[in-house]
């Protein structure tokens, strides 16, 4: 008490030795006093937290350099350590345990000098507790953990690397002994911890015992008798083990051994649910003919598995091991058996518990039930393996990406378990991000289909939305569902498109509800798809996805804003999952606004309203995102036409008369902007799609300033449009369009030119079929069959198969006559500058002739090649 | 001191297609001095590029001892004396590599295209892409698409994923689309990295540049020039397009790709012209924000595009420059030990013939590059986990994940049992004592019996506490 008033505040360095001493007094049992375990197990954590918060062992003094103080502190730490060491040498296991735990903490906390001067003493002390005379499990575990901490700290001093390796080498055999001879799982786990530290930080120490370590770990994994956590730790050690040698071959050998072991286990497990040929095939791939079979994993064969349990734990641990081998770094270049691993993934994902016909008589329902119960775990691990492959190989996986796409899309159709679907979505996101737009072309149809299904179905809490209505017919935003229907009417030349959502929703309602976590994954995936592949052939799905994302965002936000604060009474996930859902839906919505498109985002105003509300009301994260969204959308709403810096300076600095030219540039530039603005205006008016433009006011002002005479009526028109937004006028407009649309589709080109401005965007969006490009490519190529027979084989084959694949469109042929017409037009365009309006329409002719093609024979005498050559 | 400066400086690699004796020259753009000369190289137009900042790759238009075929040479920039000489089935015209330097594509005058994996040198695919000679090729910005431009004006776009598909099931077409809008030979292709909306620009001898949407192949814009366009380059900020024409003029256009509708832009009144060359422009490229133009008049110039003046004019003397590549000067220096990049993919000889793929054979790779090799990644102490378990175990009693906790509890339980037994015995004896005292009190004081005798009990308890060491478990 007397000293207390000398201290300044809680930052006073003088406090630290005092606190340390009182901790010693209070918590550390004296020499001959028995330990009150009942207290200490609860007090130990608080003791450690005091040590750590106040850095009581650091002996670092930033404020004063009072030598007396330093000495006091030093002697206090000395006392602390001697106290610990005496506890360590006590023959009471509980005291010993406390001492070991605290020594581990001291290893982390003490100053560098002290650590370097005494680590070898500590290591030897701790070592004695994992060697034979020690019998208490608790002490062994604590020693392993503290030793691991000691090694971790030691690894940070490169100058003692050699000594460290030497000391670490002494630990290997005792650890192996623990693994091999002890029979308590907790000890194995502790030994795995220590082994990890040894392999990770002092791989050289393992080098001599490589095979023994492998055998010890493998026997534990193959027996499959530990908990998943312990198995995973052991698996991780096995995955890191090749680092001890650090050469190319030991990595490959380990990988091969693991794959063979997985394969053997699978052969056993999948007996009856898989054709025999499959397992033979896998085996043949694994061991190339003419090569020797490597020794089985762990050196000798283990036959530990009992027949009534599937070796799921072993298989999944080995697969986890593969994942870790792929994703952790390795010092040299290695050869990854990509094909084998992909084959393994595919094999696992193919087995769904159904019985092949040939196997029916040999299986009992119990066996099938057994396999079905374990399959989800195996599927999850094979997806993990796929993820690890993508992570590990990055862009080098390109030659296999087509194969992966096939596997993934095939599995997507069947996979319905939430966890697996979430994993699958994350794989797709990774593929999209790493492979770019090229893979988006292949993945988009499946992603759109699956995500739409997931998002359209009701989740458990969605009571309000009745399944009869596809849109959010909750009265909150009735125009949205109108809008959606309009889209269907406008875009869909196919009738079923309009009706499609309702049975689907009803169906999913009866079947199952989709968990919100799956919806989050679907939203995130759509977001990535829009980011990467919105420029790809997205016309077919873009409008429906935009509508879906708007609907989802509104649904997610209509019941108030989620609270990100985790509730202490609920498990962590359930508290924040709703907020995550909102965040994901808003993020996807923003992306759908920002992604390149040929029309203005139709739901922009609703979206802006959501973002504005969210910015004001929501908690930290959501508000932050909403603010960001508004910020990002600003450029879309009010496009900036900034002057080019260098041009601007050129205007002022140049001496060679370029300034005149530059002024001219500015003038023509602004004129052009003006006209495009006007045309946009017209489109808005007549199309009625973007009737509620948000920059209306700006336009009005702009109009007033620039075009006095025109501003008389245009804004009024627009205003009217906007005020009647939700229901009448835009709707009738659309109806009008809808009536015109089928006519236009059948009519000839002239007919279409009349209402070109209205139809054009939708035409571009919808009626250009996906296969058009392929078809056109073919049309270009097919004349070439005659002219160049020897080379055309490859090409004519590929487009054909392409059109076969897309057999839902019957547009695989098209009028080359029209095409040639188009060429003539283009030729005309390039040679002489045509007035603007005519150009636009002629390009329309070209496009339309592509899309509204009847079946024409593919052989035409006009060869585009010769066409262009003749000029 | 000089080394450090040179690290960031750029150098220009030029070569010609006419005769091998001109070779490759590396110029310092600031000082105008020659940094390196590699003799015996003559690359076709678009036949020179820099691989991973370390290698110069050139397709040889003049054959080197090969019989009927062509060759591609790869020079390590820091060791140019020993090139890798790969021989190909046909003479190669344009060649190109992906941004990550993993794949090289080459096109032959016959219209055949070749695709190699650089690390293994494997010829992944060869196919007949066009009927006429290939003029130029470029990979899309994310390396997932491959674009060819042909002498007959046809542009084709191919999907890399199906081109290199090992299974090659043929289910997906490699060809995304063809376009034959240009009426004469393609002279240049550039791709833009404008975010999600990928766009490329093609130039042609028909006097136009066209702007396209990369994936859909939609034609967005046409820029019409009075002359044939022989080379194009994009300003690094992708707002200006520089097009060199056959008469030596370089037109500069402002690109406005935001416009949705297809439009024609006649450039005569909108573009300004850089004029210094007398003959056809052969190549354009950028070093930083400086344009470099090469012409058939044997010169190449470094431009200040802002002030539109020539900063430096180089004379190649022996022949016209057809290929220019800008590299980092640092890649010319021999690798010193401290900057050695161990995680560098090897470069193999490109194979002449496709090899049947062996499914059992793996793919050589590096697993997860550590960010910096000198510093170990941050590690966590296990002891903290152990204690975390303890702490969480003590805070939330029902959640005792750590086996340690259970171990402890087992230990504690044993002790508790002992203490409770002791206590029980003590309790009994206490009770007996109380009774005895009560009886004595009753007798001594002759008071009526009081049921509430707790104060006395307490006193006795305190007394007895001295004898029991552990009494906390109540």
């Amino acid at each position: 008490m007397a000293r207390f008033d000398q201290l300044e505040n809680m930052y006073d360095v003088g406090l630290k030795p005092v606190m340390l001493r009182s901790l010693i007094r209070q918590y550390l049992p004296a020499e001959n006093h028995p330990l009150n375990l009942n207290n200490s197990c609860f007090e130990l954590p608080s003791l450690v937290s005091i040590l750590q918060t106040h850095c009581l062992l650091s002996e670092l003094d930033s404020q004063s350099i009072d030598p007396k103080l330093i000495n006091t502190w030093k002697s206090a730490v000395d006392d602390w350590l001697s106290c610990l060491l005496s506890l360590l040498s006590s023959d009471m296991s509980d005291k010993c345990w406390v001492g070991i735990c605290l020594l581990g903490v001291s290893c982390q906390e003490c100053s560098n000098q002290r650590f370097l001067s005494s680590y070898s003493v500590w290591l030897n002390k701790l070592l004695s507790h994992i060697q034979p005379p020690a019998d208490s499990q608790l002490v062994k575990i604590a020693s392993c953990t503290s030793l691991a901490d000691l090694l971790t700290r030691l690894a940070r001093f490169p100058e003692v690397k050699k000594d460290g390796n030497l000391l670490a080498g002494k630990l290997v055999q005792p650890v192996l002994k623990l693994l091999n001879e002890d029979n308590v799982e907790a000890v194995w786990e502790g030994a795995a911890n220590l082994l990890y530290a040894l392999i990770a930080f002092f791989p050289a120490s393992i080098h001599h015992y490589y095979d023994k370590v492998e055998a010890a770990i493998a026997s534990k994994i193959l027996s499959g008798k530990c908990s998943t956590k312990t198995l995973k730790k052991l698996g991780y050690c096995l995955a890191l083990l090749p680092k001890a040698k650090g050469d190319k071959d030991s990595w490959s050998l380990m990988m091969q051994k693991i794959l063979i072991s997985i394969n053997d286990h699978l052969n056993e497990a999948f007996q009856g649910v898989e054709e025999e040929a499959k397992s033979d095939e896998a085996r043949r791939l694994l061991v190339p003919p003419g090569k020797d079979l490597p020794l089985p994993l762990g050196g000798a064969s283990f036959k530990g598995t009992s027949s009534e349990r599937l070796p799921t734990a072993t298989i999944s641990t080995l697969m986890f091991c593969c994942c870790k081998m792929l994703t952790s770094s390795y010092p040299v270049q290695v050869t990854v058996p990509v094909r084998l691993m992909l084959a393994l993934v595919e094999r696992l994902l193919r087995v769904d518990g159904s019985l092949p016909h040939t196997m029916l008589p040999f299986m009992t329902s119990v066996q099938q039930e057994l396999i079905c119960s374990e399959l989800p775990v195996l599927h999850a691990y094979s997806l993990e393996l796929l993820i690890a492959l993508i992570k590990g190989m990055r862009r080098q996986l390109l030659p296999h990406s087509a194969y992966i796409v096939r596997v993934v899309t095939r599995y997507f159709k069947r996979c319905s378990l939430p966890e697996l679907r979430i994993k699958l979505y994350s794989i797709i996101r990774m593929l999209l991000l790493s492979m770019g737009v090229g893979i988006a072309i292949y993945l988009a149809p499946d992603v759109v289909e699956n995500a739409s299904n997931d998002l359209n179905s009701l989740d458990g809490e969605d009571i309000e939305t009745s399944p009869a209505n596809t849109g959010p017919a909750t009265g909150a935003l009735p125009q949205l569902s109108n809008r959606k229907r309009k889209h269907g009417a406008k875009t869909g030349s196919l009738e079923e498109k309009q009706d499609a959502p309702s049975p689907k929703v009803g169906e999913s309602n009866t079947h199952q509800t989709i968990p919100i976590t799956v919806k989050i994954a679907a939203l995130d995936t759509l977001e990535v798809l829009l980011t990467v592949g919105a420029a790809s052939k997205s016309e077919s799905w873009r409008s429906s996805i935009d509508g879906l994302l708007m609907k989802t965002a509104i649904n997610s936000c209509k019941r108030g804003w989620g609270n990100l604060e985790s509730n202490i009474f609920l498990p962590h996930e359930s508290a924040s999952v709703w907020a995550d859902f909102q965040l994901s839906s808003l993020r996807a919505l923003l992306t759908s606004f920002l992604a390149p498109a040929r029309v203005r985002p139709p739901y922009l105003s609703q979206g802006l309203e959501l973002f504005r509300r969210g910015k004001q009301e929501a908690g930290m994260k959501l508000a932050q995102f909403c603010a960001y969204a508004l910020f990002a959308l600003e450029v879309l709403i009010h496009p900036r036409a900034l002057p080019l810096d260098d041009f601007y300076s050129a205007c002022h600095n140049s001496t060679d008369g370029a300034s005149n030219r530059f002024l001219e540039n500015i003038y023509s530039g602004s004129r052009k902007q003006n006209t495009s603005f006007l045309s946009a205006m017209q489109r808005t008016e007549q199309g009625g799609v973007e009737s509620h433009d948000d920059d209306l006011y700006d336009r009005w002002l702009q109009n007033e300033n620039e075009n006095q005479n025109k501003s008389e009526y245009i804004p009024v028109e627009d205003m009217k449009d906007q005020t009647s937004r939700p229901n009448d006028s835009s709707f009738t407009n659309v109806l009008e369009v809808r009536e015109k649309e089928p006519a236009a589709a059948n009519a000839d080109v002239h007919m279409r030119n009349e209402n070109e401005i209205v139809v054009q965007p939708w035409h571009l969006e919808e009626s250009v079929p996906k296969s058009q490009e392929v078809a056109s490519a073919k049309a270009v190529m097919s004349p070439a069959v005659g002219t160049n027979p020897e080379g055309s084989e490859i090409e004519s084959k590929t487009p054909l198969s392409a059109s076969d694949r897309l057999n839902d469109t019957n547009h695989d042929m098209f009028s080359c006559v029209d095409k040639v017409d188009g060429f003539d037009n283009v030729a005309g365009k390039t040679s002489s500058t045509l007035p603007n309006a005519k150009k636009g329409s002629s390009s329309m002719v070209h496009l339309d002739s592509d899309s509204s093609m009847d079946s024409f024979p593919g052989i035409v005498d006009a060869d585009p090649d010769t066409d262009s050559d003749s000029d | 001191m000089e080394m450090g400066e040179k690290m960031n400086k750029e150098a220009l690699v030029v070569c010609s297609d006419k005769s091998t004796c001109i070779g490759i020259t590396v110029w310092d753009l600031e000082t105008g001095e020659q940094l390196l000369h590699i003799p015996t190289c003559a690359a076709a137009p678009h036949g020179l590029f820099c691989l991973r900042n370390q290698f110069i790759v050139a397709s040889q238009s003049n054959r080197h001892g090969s019989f009927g075929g062509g060759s591609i040479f790869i020079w390590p920039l820091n060791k140019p004396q020993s090139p890798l000489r790969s021989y190909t089935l046909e003479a190669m015209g344009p060649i190109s590599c992906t941004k990550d330097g993993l794949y090289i594509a080459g096109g032959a005058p016959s219209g055949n295209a070749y695709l190699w994996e650089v690390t293994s040198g494997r010829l992944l695919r060869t196919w007949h892409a066009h009927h006429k000679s290939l003029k130029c090729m470029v990979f899309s910005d994310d390396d997932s698409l491959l674009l060819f431009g042909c002498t007959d004006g046809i542009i084709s776009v191919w999907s890399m994923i199906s081109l290199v598909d090992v299974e090659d099931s043929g289910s997906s077409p490699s060809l995304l689309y063809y376009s034959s809008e240009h009426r004469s030979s393609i002279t240049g292709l550039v791709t833009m990295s404008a975010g999600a909306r990928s766009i490329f620009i093609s130039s042609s001898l028909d006097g136009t540049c066209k702007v396209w949407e990369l994936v859909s192949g939609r034609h967005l814009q046409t820029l019409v020039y009075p002359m044939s366009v022989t080379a194009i380059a994009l300003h690094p900020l992708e707002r200006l397009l520089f097009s060199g024409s056959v008469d030596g003029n370089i037109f500069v256009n402002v690109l406005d790709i935001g416009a949705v509708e297809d439009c024609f832009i006649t450039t005569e009144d909108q573009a300004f012209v850089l004029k210094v060359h007398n003959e056809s422009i052969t190549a354009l490229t950028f070093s930083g924000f400086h344009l470099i133009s090469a012409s058939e008049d044997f010169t190449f110039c470094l431009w200040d595009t802002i002030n539109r003046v020539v900063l430096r004019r180089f004379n190649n003397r022996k022949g016209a420059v057809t290929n220019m590549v800008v590299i980092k000067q640092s890649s010319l220096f021999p690798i010193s030990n401290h900057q050695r990049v161990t995680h560098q993919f090897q470069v193999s000889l490109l194979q002449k013939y496709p090899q049947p793929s062996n499914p059992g054979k793996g793919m050589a790779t590096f697993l997860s590059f550590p960010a910096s090799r000198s510093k170990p990644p941050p590690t966590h102490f296990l002891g903290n986990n152990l204690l975390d378990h303890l702490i969480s175990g003590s805070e939330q009693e029902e959640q005792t994940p750590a086996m340690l906790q259970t171990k402890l509890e087992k230990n504690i339980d044993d002790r508790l049992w002992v203490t409770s037994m002791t206590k029980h015995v003590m309790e009994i004896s206490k009770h007996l004592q109380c009774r005895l005292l009560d009886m004595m009190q009753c007798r001594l004081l002759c008071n009526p019996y009081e049921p509430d005798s707790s104060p006395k009990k307490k006193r006795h308890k305190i007394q007895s506490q001295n004898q029991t060491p552990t009494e906390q478990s109540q």
Side-chain angles (χ1 to χ4, degrees), chain A residues 94-135:
Chain A
D94 46 1
K95 273 184 162 181
C96 200
W97 179 80
V98 170
I100 289 167
C101 281
L102 290 177
L103 189 59
V105 176
S106 307
C107 283
Q108 306 167 26
E109 293 288 313
C110 70
S111 66
N112 286 350
Q113 272 177 329
R114 191 173 287 274
F115 181 78
L116 283 177
S117 63
S118 43
Y119 70 87
S120 60
V121 180
W122 295 345
L123 190 132
N124 284 323
K125 281 265 183 193
L126 290 170
L127 179 59
S128 67
H129 286 283
I130 55 171
Q131 274 175 334
D135 54 346

Side-chain angles (χ1 to χ4, degrees), chain B residues 388-426:
Chain B
D388 279 346
H389 284 170
L390 264 180
I391 291 164
S392 68
S394 63
E395 277 175 356
Q396 306 172 355
E397 302 265 350
E398 76 283 355
Q399 260 191 23
T400 51
M403 55 76 220
L404 251 181
Q405 188 66 23
T406 56
K407 274 273 151 198
L408 262 176
E409 271 166 7
K410 192 167 167 261
N411 221 336
I412 292 162
D413 280 350
D414 293 345
R415 277 157 189 280
L416 280 184
W417 184 79
V418 176
T419 41
S420 67
M421 282 306 283
T422 337
K423 223 182 292 171
H424 192 64
V425 175
M426 302 299 287

Side-chain angles (χ1 to χ4, degrees), chain A residues 41-53:
Chain A
C41 90
F42 293 111
E43 281 169 358
L44 212 51
S46 67
L47 165 63
V48 170
S49 88
I50 292 174
L51 274 178
Q52 284 174 337
T53 20

Side-chain angles (χ1 to χ4, degrees), chain B residues 239-304:
Chain B
R239 191 83 168 114
L240 298 176
L241 178 70
F242 295 78
S243 1
S245 72
V246 79
D247 62 354
N249 288 346
I250 301 166
F251 297 92
V252 187
N253 291 85
V254 180
L255 280 178
D256 186 17
I257 54 165
V260 173
E261 62 268 33
D262 181 6
C263 60
F264 276 72
I265 299 164
T266 319
T267 56
E268 276 168 288
D269 53 342
Q270 289 197 3
F272 64 83
V273 182
L274 305 174
K275 188 158 176 56
V276 101
H277 294 291
N278 303 321
E279 296 205 41
S280 174
I281 303 288
T282 51
L284 293 172
T285 189
F286 267 90
S287 163
F289 289 110
H290 296 305
L291 176 75
I292 306 164
S293 64
S295 163
E296 280 187 354
D297 61 8
F298 288 20
T299 60
F300 56 99
C301 298
L302 181 71
W303 293 83
D304 175 356

Side-chain angles (χ1 to χ4, degrees), chain A residues 358-579:
Chain A
T358 50
M359 293 295 167
L360 275 178
F362 308 109
M363 288 290 283
T364 63
S365 63
V366 180
Q367 277 172 302
Q368 198 184 5
E369 185 193 324
L370 190 67
I371 283 177
C372 288
S373 69
E374 302 282 1
L375 269 178
V377 180
L378 293 177
H379 280 201
Y381 272 99
S382 50
L383 292 178
E384 284 290 338
L385 185 57
L386 197 52
I387 290 174
L389 260 178
I390 298 171
K391 272 187 196 161
M393 301 296 293
R394 293 174 303 271
R395 287 198 52 85
Q396 274 191 292
L397 205 57
L398 194 67
H400 302 276
S401 49
Y403 179 80
I404 295 176
V405 167
R406 286 191 284 274
V407 171
V408 165
T409 49
R410 207 183 302 134
Y411 187 62
F412 221 152
K413 291 194 178 70
R414 298 183 301 155
C415 161
S416 62
L417 290 174
E419 291 81 40
L420 297 181
R421 275 188 92 84
I422 292 169
K423 277 214 168 76
L424 209 47
Y425 274 122
S426 79
I427 289 176
I428 286 173
R429 283 201 296 277
M430 290 174 71
L431 284 175
L432 283 173
L433 284 172
S434 67
M435 305 283 176
V437 73
I439 210 164
I441 299 168
Y442 302 103
L443 284 173
D446 290 274
V447 171
V448 168
E449 190 195 333
N450 282 289
S452 311
N453 287 349
D454 282 345
L455 289 175
N456 267 324
S457 71
L458 306 172
D459 59 311
E461 302 160 64
D462 239 348
I463 327 144
E464 293 148 287
T465 316
S466 69
N469 264 316
T470 58
T474 47
L477 284 146
Q479 74 272 34
L480 187 68
S481 59
N482 271 347
R483 216 159 272 285
K484 189 154 173 56
R485 196 143 302 152
K486 269 180 249 158
H487 268 277
K490 243 185 176 182
T491 58
S493 44
L494 310 164
E495 267 129 353
E496 71 261 22
K497 197 177 157 86
Q498 202 182 344
D499 303 330
S502 8
K504 223 170 236 166
V505 171
E507 191 184 54
S508 60
N509 195 30
T510 52
H511 279 306
Q512 60 184 20
T513 57
I514 305 289
I516 254 177
T517 42
V518 176
K519 292 191 171 200
I520 292 174
L523 281 168
D524 291 348
T525 311
L526 280 181
E527 186 197 335
V528 174
L529 179 66
L530 283 171
T531 320
V532 173
S536 70
K537 304 165 181 176
S538 58
E539 294 84 3
S540 51
W541 47 266
R542 186 63 198 279
S543 62
S544 64
I545 286 301
D546 283 348
L548 178 67
L549 290 178
M550 188 67 231
K551 184 186 123 191
T552 314
I554 287 175
N555 277 345
S556 80
C557 296
K558 76 182 172 205
R559 267 179 290 148
W561 300 95
N563 190 4
L564 273 175
E565 308 293 314
S566 56
N567 187 335
I568 200 161
F569 292 104
L570 294 173
H572 175 68
E573 296 83 26
S574 68
S576 62
V577 75
W578 187 254

Side-chain angles (χ1 to χ4, degrees), chain B residues 4-22:
Chain B
E5 273 178 32
K6 278 191 174 179
M7 284 301 171
N8 297 319
K9 278 206 278 182
E10 289 186 321
L12 183 72
V13 183
V14 298
C15 87
S16 169
D17 67 339
K18 287 295 181 300
S19 98
T20 50
C21 61
I22 297 171

